[in-house]
Amino acid sequence: MLTARLRLVGLDIYSPPVLPRPLIERYAAHLPITASTPRLTLGEGDTPLVRAPALEARTGIAQVWLKVEGQNPTGSFKDRGMVVAVAKAVEGGARAVLCASTGNTAASAAAYAARAGLRCVVLLPEGQVALGKLAQAEVFGARVLSLQGSFDDALRVARELAADGVAALVNSVNPHRIEGQKTAAFEICEALGDAPEALCIPVGNAGNITAYWKGFREATEARMARRRPRMWGFQAAGAAPIVEGRRVERPDTVATAIRIGNPASWEGALRARDESRGAIEAVSDEEILAAYALLASREGIFCEPASAASVAGLLKRAATGVLEGAEVVVCVLTGSGLKDPDAARRLARAPERVAATAAAVRDRVFASAVV
């Protein structure tokens, strides 16, 4: 009624909702998009950049921010690149897409293929994929095959099949994936008004660190930013081929998303490290899980273990005094904690049993140190 009365006197307080622009449209000037590229979207991108006061207190850094990529449609950063890769596959006349995956790529490829009306085939390394990711790919309708080998074996097979023209390959070796993923760097620059002084990021197949560095370079060229960050990448100690300088035949880590022994974008990661005067270092599973628990209990953010490698690395650098004077740092959290429920269950305590009375609950709560 109030709105109606205000309209009678010439005042209109109703504004139609402003819907977010699809990533492909928002950054079309910076992407390999043509008039024939379908404007595919599931609402990817525009993820939160969250201040991290507990990490600031722990590290002594003036500003620590968390880029929460688990807020993408399928729960990981992969959606940024996948929307571009699948849209370009459709534009090129593909009828199917194909990927090798440790889980997140599978879920993303399956979702965007479903949206675009394409078949999706996923090759997984047997017994090495978190349950949440496997379930996503299957529910989205992908044909999921479990290969008797590692991720590197699965990617080799996928590349051979794609070369034969069976389907469009949508792993990060596809340059359109890198193009889409670089948009996260644009968003960080837009949110902060400049690039951070350092960016901490997990490194598995190394496509993401490659993409972020490309994005920051382009951001300075487009005057979105005045500086470029030092790129601090972190691999799990049991799957650290770039750190060790050699292929790891049997990578082993609780962080399944970065359990990769021969990164496809190895050269891109080295370029990001060297050009930014950054570093790629290893963190242990214990350090990853400690950061994982800290993010949930102190910052209120639930990420998958691989995501926490970025924070584990920052904490390790702070503890050893090698922050290099950085006062503004962004840590990339690549995927949601719901991707790997088994990891959470391993750390969770069983619920305490109490009688169904207020007195029993009051006595139990105040009798313990936890309120």
Side-chain angles (χ1 to χ4, degrees):
M1 291 295 291
L2 177 60
T3 300
R5 291 193 192 103
L6 288 170
R7 282 176 176 158
L8 286 174
V9 295
L11 297 174
D12 189 350
I13 64 169
Y14 171 76
S15 296
V18 179
L19 298 177
R21 295 173 67 194
L23 183 144
I24 284 179
E25 290 186 5
R26 182 179 174 189
Y27 294 114
H30 305 280
L31 295 172
I33 300 304
T34 72
S36 300
T37 308
R39 269 37 182 181
L40 185 67
T41 187
L42 287 171
E44 59 290 323
D46 200 22
T47 55
L49 189 64
V50 179
R51 191 83 178 257
L55 287 175
E56 290 170 355
R58 285 282 186 106
T59 61
I61 298 171
Q63 295 183 41
V64 178
W65 297 86
L66 305 172
K67 184 61 169 166
V68 187
E69 289 288 86
Q71 293 296 312
N72 276 297
T74 73
S76 89
F77 75 96
K78 303 284 188 177
D79 295 342
R80 291 180 180 275
M82 197 61 69
V83 68
V84 180
V86 173
K88 295 299 287 186
V90 172
E91 181 181 1
R95 300 177 64 182
V97 295
L98 168 71
C99 70
S101 181
T102 57
N104 284 331
T105 295
S108 187
Y112 283 91
R115 184 72 168 185
L118 303 179
R119 291 183 61 209
C120 179
V121 178
V122 171
L123 307 181
L124 303 176
E126 189 174 46
Q128 299 179 39
V129 176
L131 178 62
K133 304 172 189 181
L134 177 59
Q136 278 184 287
E138 291 182 339
V139 169
F140 286 133
R143 181 74 180 272
V144 180
L145 303 178
S146 180
L147 269 62
Q148 298 172 358
S150 67
F151 168 81
D152 302 314
D153 295 321
L155 181 57
R156 172 181 52 78
V157 172
R159 294 176 90 160
E160 290 175 7
L161 291 170
D164 290 340
V166 170
L169 184 65
V170 291
N171 280 95
S172 59
V173 293
N174 181 328
H176 296 132
R177 280 278 308 278
I178 302 299
E179 290 295 312
Q181 285 167 214
K182 75 184 181 187
T183 60
F186 298 163
E187 290 180 6
I188 290 170
C189 293
E190 290 168 346
L192 296 179
D194 203 349
E197 293 172 79
L199 183 104
C200 298
I201 188 167
V203 176
N205 213 27
N208 214 23
I209 190 172
T210 301
Y212 268 83
W213 182 237
K214 190 175 194 297
F216 285 123
R217 291 200 328 268
E218 293 184 13
T220 57
E221 294 164 4
R223 299 186 179 179
M224 295 182 203
R226 296 181 299 277
R227 65 188 175 205
R228 299 171 182 174
R230 291 188 289 282
M231 303 293 287
W232 292 342
F234 300 100
Q235 296 191 296
I242 296 175
V243 176
E244 296 179 14
R246 62 178 180 84
R247 177 175 176 168
V248 176
E249 295 297 333
R250 292 181 176 81
D252 183 27
T253 173
V254 69
T256 57
I258 55 174
R259 188 190 286 159
I260 294 171
N262 187 27
S265 298
W266 191 317
E267 292 302 318
L270 293 180
R271 191 160 51 249
R273 179 196 68 186
D274 297 343
E275 291 179 1
S276 72
R277 295 175 292 109
I280 297 179
E281 299 166 343
V283 286
S284 68
D285 278 4
E286 291 75 20
E287 290 166 330
I288 289 172
L289 290 175
Y292 169 80
L294 174 67
L295 283 164
S297 64
R298 297 297 305 281
E299 300 290 6
I301 295 178
F302 183 37
C303 65
E304 66 173 316
S307 296
S310 61
V311 172
L314 178 63
L315 291 170
K316 189 171 187 175
R317 282 194 148 239
T320 53
V322 285
L323 293 174
E324 303 177 20
E327 292 295 316
V328 182
V329 177
V330 171
C331 295
V332 179
L333 303 184
T334 47
S336 166
L338 296 175
K339 290 282 194 171
D340 193 351
D342 288 338
R345 280 199 292 268
R346 284 194 293 270
L347 295 179
R349 294 174 296 182
E352 299 177 54
R353 298 187 69 210
V354 297
T357 67
V361 173
R362 187 184 302 113
D363 290 345
R364 179 63 62 90
V365 170
F366 287 100
S368 70
V370 180
V371 177

